[in-house]
Amino acid sequence: MLRLTCRLLGTMIASCACVTAWAGASARLEVDAREAPRGIERVHLVLPVKSGKLTLLYPKWLPGEHSPDGPIAGLSGLKFSSNGQSIAWQRDPDNMYAFHLDVPAAVRTLDVAFEVDAVRGATDNNAERTSTDSLALILWNQLVLYPAGAQSDDLRYQARLRLPPGWSFGTALASPQTTGDTTQFAEVSLTTLIDSPVLSGSNFRTIALGGDPAVYLHLAADSEAALDIPEASTAQLRKLVQEAAALFGATHYTEYHFLWTLSDQIGFEGIEHHQSSDNRSGERSLIDEELRRSASVLTLLPHEYVHSWNGKYRRPIGLATGNYDAPMRGDLLWVYEGLTEYLGMVLSARSGFASLEDARNEWADIAAWLQNSKGREWRPLADTAAAAQLGYIEAAGWRARTRSTDFYAESAMLWLEADTLIRTTTHGAKSLDDFCRLFYGPPSSAPKVLPYDFNDVVKALNAVMPYDWRGFWTQRLNRVRSDAPLEGLTASGWHLVFTAEPTAVEKGEAALMKKTDLSDSLGFLLKDEGAVISTVVPGTPADSAGIAPDSILIAIDDRKYSKDVLADALKAGGTELRGIRLLIEKDDKFKTVELKYAGHERHPRLERDASAPDLLTTILSPRS
Ligand SMILES: [Zn+2]
């Protein structure tokens, strides 16, 4: 019933549309992805219609992306017809995702043809190419239209997919029937279709990870060699499935499929789905131990897996919209993403995929980032969640000033504080694990959505341990202050220190992202394996010297820039304040700036604080 309520809210804005034109029948979707490697996917859609006015929509607000970023600018070649007769269409003057047409009398099925033209690294509603010569991620949200006014649960689609010859695939879509290079999937709701991407490729491997219901890992890579996942990693991912079951005590999927794209040609990210997740990281993430230990890889699968419970099954009411046209509200993303960030790191450690030391180093990175994130001085955490759709596109160069998507990292730190508070107050009898079981756990079910609001979160926390949880969160979400909220870290028995050597987690992240991170010393980050300054941190020597993002570092103390020259310049000094001269190129002009700096490189790690019990190790230790 709750879902019905939020659906109604979501559809009040829909236009005149004729949902009844669709009743009972299902749509047939044929996707030809044989040219996916160069960024073209062709669609033939057969829709059941009735005569009269019809408005069709292209998905705009995508679940998991919390943004109106459906890649409408990549849609091309749109044609409508029936019985071979073309039908004219008009785009809505206000809504770029809506197409109006008049369906002629006696017409019962409408043929829609279009293609998606994707390019590498696209932004701003263009379609990003999620394919290479060796693999393709098929994202159904890019390949459908649906009638305005309808709820995605009520629309039925039967999809057929044609892949390049010899390619294999993995997906959560049920009952695939493959003949030659074409696969027919069982008819599902539009919700399920869009929630079930397909990973395909010529270098492909599927591994069963156990679990009840069963969990599978599908790997597609740009090389055969990249599929050679070590047995230890596979065992840790099996353990991840067990640890999630021990944490939540129930599942809300009928099968679960990790889709893992291993490619340096596609942007790294993870998108959650109910019965699968779309995970993308570097080609050698699994076979290069340095890359595997990067923060991004260590938590990628655990984070997206947690979303099956936190985000898909339990969903903030403002994100539980009934179709892809209704705007989403991100105000509870500190639960949806913040607690997922926390539990992702916890499960990564409990599964052994991250060693205890690596897990601690991840917490050190987060703590250091929070100290650098000065946007807290003007903007409360709650505002980062409310404005999530902006946060995802805020420029990286000034991220420490804008604080962009702090509802991930800062909320994770606050959930650590909540966990330590429960553990300390109840003398270890209760923990955040109890909240997880209560809020996300039994009974097990097939995929469904149970929306919640702030009151539901407060109520469940109170059921675990009576406390002023409303006050706890209201204060932390709405305060404006400069200090990073590291109270939870302190309560867990650890504190942040800096040493001259980066940790394995930081080294891995630098290698994966091809960056050099001097955020905690000189105050900038270099990107793309080169000398382009991508981020400047407020209050650091680089900031005081007036350096801007996108400047190019040419020379250090009169020597041409290289990673080694930069490292040597930092190694050379003692604790005395000294000047480090940088030759900078900006806007085609050269200038020399002097950075006042004392000491060596500074890289975050955690140090044990014996005055408090070591709760962090307890939290990160396996349960099953
Ligand atoms: Zn997430």
Side-chain angles (χ1 to χ4, degrees), residues 272 303 307 337 408:
E272 62 275 23
H303 178 109
H307 270 316
E337 292 296 358
Y408 286 84

Coordinates of all heavy atoms in Angstrom, one line a residue, residues 272 303 307 337 408, ligand 1:
E272 N 23.8 -0.3 -8.7 CA 23.1 -1.3 -8.0 C 21.8 -1.7 -8.8 O 21.2 -0.8 -9.4 CB 22.8 -0.9 -6.6 CG 21.8 0.3 -6.5 CD 22.6 1.7 -6.6 OE1 23.7 1.7 -7.1 OE2 22.0 2.7 -6.1
H303 N 29.8 -3.0 -1.8 CA 28.9 -1.9 -1.7 C 27.6 -2.2 -2.6 O 26.5 -2.0 -2.1 CB 29.6 -0.6 -2.2 CG 28.8 0.6 -2.3 ND1 29.0 1.7 -1.5 CD2 27.8 1.0 -3.2 CE1 28.1 2.6 -1.8 NE2 27.4 2.2 -2.8
H307 N 23.4 -2.9 -1.6 CA 22.2 -2.1 -2.1 C 21.0 -3.0 -2.4 O 19.9 -2.5 -2.5 CB 22.6 -1.4 -3.4 CG 23.2 0.0 -3.2 ND1 22.6 0.9 -2.3 CD2 24.2 0.6 -3.8 CE1 23.3 2.0 -2.4 NE2 24.3 1.9 -3.2
E337 N 22.9 5.7 0.6 CA 24.3 5.6 0.1 C 25.3 5.5 1.3 O 26.3 4.8 1.3 CB 24.7 6.7 -0.8 CG 24.1 6.7 -2.2 CD 24.4 5.5 -3.0 OE1 25.3 4.6 -2.6 OE2 23.9 5.3 -4.1
Y408 N 28.1 10.1 1.0 CA 28.7 8.8 1.1 C 29.7 8.7 2.3 O 29.4 8.1 3.3 CB 29.5 8.5 -0.2 CG 28.7 8.2 -1.4 CD1 28.2 9.2 -2.2 CD2 28.5 6.9 -1.8 CE1 27.4 8.9 -3.4 CE2 27.7 6.6 -3.0 CZ 27.2 7.6 -3.7 OH 26.5 7.3 -4.9
Ligands
ZN1 ZN 25.9 3.2 -3.8

